[in-house]
Amino acid sequence: MSAPAPIIIVGGGIAGLSAALAAAPAPVLLLARASGTRGAASALAQGGIAAAIDPGDSPQAHARDTCVAGGFHNDPAIVDLLTINAGDAVGWLQDIGVAFDREPDGRLQFCREGGHDRARIVHAGGDATGAKVMEALVAAARAATHIERRVGVDVDGLVLRDGQVCGVCVTRADGGREALHGRAVVLATGGIGGLFAQTSNPADADGNGLALALAAGAAARDLEFVQFHPTAMALPGLHSLPLVTEALRGAGARLLGTDGASLMDGVHPLADLAPRDIVARRVWQAGRDGGAWLDAHKVGAAFPQRFPTVFQACMDHGIDPRVQPIPVTPAAHFHMGGISVDADGHSSLPGLFAVGEVACNGVHGANRLASNSLLEGVVFGRRLGALLRPLADGGQPRGSFRMVRRKPSLDAAQLDYLRALMMQAMGPLRSGATLQAALQDCTELAGSGWQGELAQRMLGEALRRTASLGAHYRSDAPPVG
Ligand SMILES: Cc1cc2nc3c(=O)[nH]c(=O)nc-3n(C[C@H](O)[C@H](O)[C@H](O)COP(=O)(O)OP(=O)(O)OC[C@H]3O[C@@H](n4cnc5c(N)ncnc54)[C@H](O)[C@@H]3O)c2cc1C
């Protein structure tokens, strides 16, 4: 008897790895472009994981904050799933070896971030949570006998039979191509920051998995909602920018304009700790007026211990953040929209599942609450893995095979142009006129490459949403109240 076809999971970030581990003992083929923690946004996460674990906290309070941040565009049942399972998710991560930071008396240490009504963020290695979590997940996946890992492959097509997705096409590092067959295909390919001129995301987070699912006819949802982080390090000529965590402002850092005056005083009662989208718009405007800086000297001598990742990134670029202000700019950070899925990760195409940032199950609504995304990857990844387990014993679809491939990529010059266009039109500040103009500008690019096609879909959705909501802010229709 031949071995059962594996479940194919595309993506080695927190969502793909959580799903792969939870599918045991069903055989899993895990495909990723890069080995270890490389290429995954998960490994860059600085803030942490939100979970109502503290005795005074509750999943209901966490859910309320999630929906307020999301502009009540969230699916409340999915939000409850997230917040009720958060404690278990953190416990599971501890079981596989993540050592979250603790207070001197041994209790878990909780931080507070923008939008949370209390301290409920667990973190590891100070601002190195993503790296620590990913190290543990990668080690667990390497030790798991049901997971076969193949790295250095680019998944650029889907195999369908009888209208059901039952495999993927890959291009190997040596340029060779092959089709791989499986019981089900899970896309866990991450976000879309790479479509914008400035992003906090790694290069692999370019929307390719979303583009592939759309090419195969899968339904998408909420594509217009893109979150911009207000403080990426402004480094001219660079596309993927180091993030300067919000927690620095929690520790007393202040945003300043070219004249050295506060950017946030008088803009919002919470000043530098105002919601992420409000700060991002202010920093975006300041960038047009000459620039924005984060003065973090108040963090003082403890900077390297408290924020080792940011400290290293600053020093790598010749800035000593203890004494010099950090130049900052907003950057595309997180996609609330994606492949439309239900609570179990089913897309509209039989056999195709999606989880993590590439998916949209409605949990984040119109704007993601800080530190809810790693949590999403673990909660919905594990849920999907468990659901896929019995599929290993199911039958295979019959009929002739059909391959759906992504369009070719745009060339470097076209991509630069598209990224600048997206930053201007789909950035922190939008308007009907700029969206309309960008949509027209995009027509030729949409015919040339998959990035243009995806951008066209996103611009179209943003134009159709005529009112401001969450991260979708239109200057021609500002939010009411
Ligand atoms: C700088 C930064 C800081 C952040 N901080 C936090 C935080 O503190 N808390 C929080 O909750 N969230 C945070 N986020 C958001 C969070 O990290 C991401 O949303 C989350 O990690 C996404 O996980 P994922 O598994 O969906 O995707 P990823 O971790 O991005 O993994 C995607 C995987 O898919 C692979 N891949 C992509 N395309 C292909 C292809 N065609 N073929 C094969 N493989 C492919 C990639 O190589 C990668 O392995 C942060 C994000 C960034 C960028």
Side-chain angles (χ1 to χ4, degrees):
M1 223 172 76
S2 61
I7 294 155
I8 296 178
I9 298 183
V10 187
I14 195 165
L17 288 167
S18 299
L21 287 165
V28 168
L29 177 59
L30 186 75
L31 305 171
R33 281 177 169 168
S35 66
T37 63
R38 285 187 299 127
S42 302
L44 303 180
Q46 295 183 352
I49 300 179
I53 302 174
D54 205 39
D57 201 355
S58 71
Q60 292 71 28
H62 183 186
R64 194 173 49 243
D65 288 348
T66 300
C67 292
V68 169
F72 295 96
H73 187 63
N74 321 59
D75 181 327
I78 305 269
V79 173
D80 284 346
L81 271 178
L82 181 84
T83 60
I84 288 168
N85 289 295
D88 268 2
V90 170
W92 178 72
L93 288 171
Q94 287 174 307
D95 289 345
I96 64 163
V98 181
F100 289 106
D101 296 337
R102 292 183 177 272
E103 300 289 357
D105 65 5
R107 285 177 302 125
L108 279 175
Q109 189 175 70
F110 298 105
C111 277
R112 186 170 175 189
E113 286 186 325
H116 290 272
D117 72 346
R118 70 197 75 195
R120 66 160 69 95
I121 320 294
V122 294
H123 49 92
D127 64 1
T129 309
K132 299 285 181 200
V133 167
M134 282 293 288
E135 278 165 23
L137 284 167
V138 168
R142 283 195 174 131
T145 51
H146 72 286
I147 301 176
E148 182 192 345
R149 287 164 58 86
R150 272 188 71 179
V151 293
V153 289
D154 179 29
V155 173
D156 54 11
L158 292 174
V159 180
L160 287 97
R161 203 173 190 180
D162 270 352
Q164 184 166 337
V165 177
C166 60
V168 295
C169 310
V170 302
T171 302
R172 297 189 303 263
D174 64 6
R177 288 181 155 182
E178 61 185 296
L180 303 169
H181 296 270
R183 301 270 158 173
V185 173
V186 176
L187 293 177
T189 49
I192 48 111
L195 289 180
F196 291 80
Q198 284 118 33
T199 180
S200 64
N201 292 188
D204 276 353
D206 58 4
N208 77 82
L210 173 57
L212 180 56
L214 294 180
R221 177 172 171 188
D222 290 346
L223 292 182
E224 65 275 33
F225 295 113
V226 181
Q227 183 176 80
F228 291 84
H229 198 288
T231 56
M233 208 184 293
L235 298 169
L238 275 192
H239 169 231
S240 258
L241 303 173
L243 196 74
V244 181
T245 177
E246 224 159 29
L248 271 166
R249 278 176 277 135
R254 306 211 66 203
L255 283 160
L256 308 177
T258 38
D259 55 359
S262 162
L263 283 182
M264 293 308 300
D265 281 355
V267 174
H268 189 276
L270 290 173
D272 288 273
L273 292 173
R276 205 172 257 187
D277 57 320
I278 294 173
V279 184
R281 281 196 294 279
R282 184 71 190 98
V283 173
W284 177 247
Q285 278 163 340
R288 292 172 167 183
D289 297 338
W293 284 265
L294 189 72
D295 176 2
H297 80 271
K298 275 197 181 148
V299 180
F303 205 122
Q305 285 75 44
R306 287 185 71 186
F307 303 102
T309 310
V310 177
F311 185 74
Q312 194 55 52
C314 287
M315 295 304 272
D316 286 349
H317 292 93
I319 300 159
D320 183 340
R322 291 168 295 193
V323 290
Q324 289 171 291
I326 310 167
V328 290
T329 181
H333 186 56
F334 184 83
H335 197 197
M336 275 68 75
I339 302 166
S340 180
V341 295
D342 64 13
D344 295 326
H346 289 105
S347 78
S348 62
L349 286 183
L352 183 69
F353 299 80
V355 70
E357 196 172 334
V358 71
C360 177
N361 59 15
V363 74
H364 302 298
N367 206 0
R368 173 183 69 110
L369 181 66
S371 287
N372 264 356
S373 172
L374 294 178
L375 179 62
E376 172 194 19
V378 177
V379 168
F380 293 102
R382 290 182 72 213
R383 187 180 165 89
L384 173 57
L387 174 102
L388 293 174
R389 221 179 277 150
L391 278 189
D393 304 321
Q396 281 281 65
R398 304 195 176 277
S400 53
F401 289 110
R402 188 167 71 88
M403 310 267 188
V404 178
R405 294 199 104 104
R406 263 196 325 259
K407 271 195 176 144
S409 175
L410 294 177
D411 65 31
Q414 289 171 318
L415 205 45
D416 277 353
Y417 185 81
L418 181 78
R419 286 168 172 166
L421 191 72
M422 288 295 275
M423 200 73 207
Q424 287 308 318
M426 283 283 289
L429 203 54
R430 304 170 175 179
S431 75
T434 49
L435 287 166
Q436 182 66 57
L439 197 55
Q440 269 159 11
D441 222 358
C442 207
T443 313
E444 205 181 307
L445 295 170
S448 308
W450 63 264
Q451 295 96 333
E453 212 169 45
L454 179 54
Q456 192 180 43
R457 278 288 293 268
M458 292 173 66
L459 287 161
E461 295 302 319
L463 194 58
R464 261 188 289 283
R465 187 170 292 282
T466 49
S468 291
L469 180 65
H472 173 70
Y473 184 94
R474 284 183 59 149
S475 57
D476 52 353
V480 185

